[in-house]
Amino acid sequence: MGVIIQKRDGGFLYTTTDIACAKYRYEQFNANRVLYFIDSRQHQHLMQAWSIVRKAEYVPESVSLEHHAFGMMLGKDGKPFKTRSGGRPPC
């Protein structure tokens, strides 16, 4: 499956950021294990980004990239909470 890295207008997408973050964490922090605690709906996205990271040899196979998924956080309206909206999750 293909992944868009850069939009036609020059903007970058989340996959691009996640690729860069994995590379940075490995190179700058000498990470040997990276844990991602994010929504379960992001699993396929992470698998795609990590596949690119491995194929580009930005992060070796010896470094563990792990997705620890949790369920959706719902807002008062019963819809999935969106962190990009700038609000706060329900407490």
Side-chain angles (χ1 to χ4, degrees), residues 14 41 73-77 79-90:
Y14 285 108
R41 295 174 297 163
M73 294 177 67
L74 303 179
K76 291 180 183 179
D77 60 1
K79 294 181 181 176
F81 183 75
K82 296 178 181 160
T83 57
R84 288 179 278 165
S85 66
R88 291 181 43 185

Side-chain angles (χ1 to χ4, degrees), residues 3 5 8 13-14 17 29 32 38 40 49 55 65 68 74 87:
V3 175
I5 299 296
R8 184 176 296 172
L13 301 174
Y14 285 108
T17 303
F29 299 127
N32 59 13
I38 58 175
S40 59
K55 287 180 182 182
L65 301 173
H68 295 270
L74 303 179

Side-chain angles (χ1 to χ4, degrees), residues 7-8 12-13 18 27-28 33 48 51 58 81 89:
K7 297 189 303 184
R8 184 176 296 172
F12 293 96
L13 301 174
D18 287 332
E27 291 178 350
Q28 298 301 313
R33 184 179 184 202
Q48 291 172 327
S51 177
Y58 292 154
F81 183 75

Side-chain angles (χ1 to χ4, degrees), residues 26-74:
Y26 170 68
E27 291 178 350
Q28 298 301 313
F29 299 127
N30 298 311
N32 59 13
R33 184 179 184 202
V34 183
L35 310 177
Y36 292 74
F37 291 88
I38 58 175
D39 188 316
S40 59
R41 295 174 297 163
Q42 300 301 315
H43 186 73
Q44 182 179 9
H45 160 77
L46 287 175
M47 295 302 105
Q48 291 172 327
W50 294 344
S51 177
I52 293 167
V53 164
R54 301 292 194 197
K55 287 180 182 182
E57 299 181 357
Y58 292 154
V59 178
E61 292 289 337
S62 62
V63 174
S64 179
L65 301 173
E66 303 173 23
H67 179 207
H68 295 270
F70 58 81
M72 290 183 285
M73 294 177 67
L74 303 179

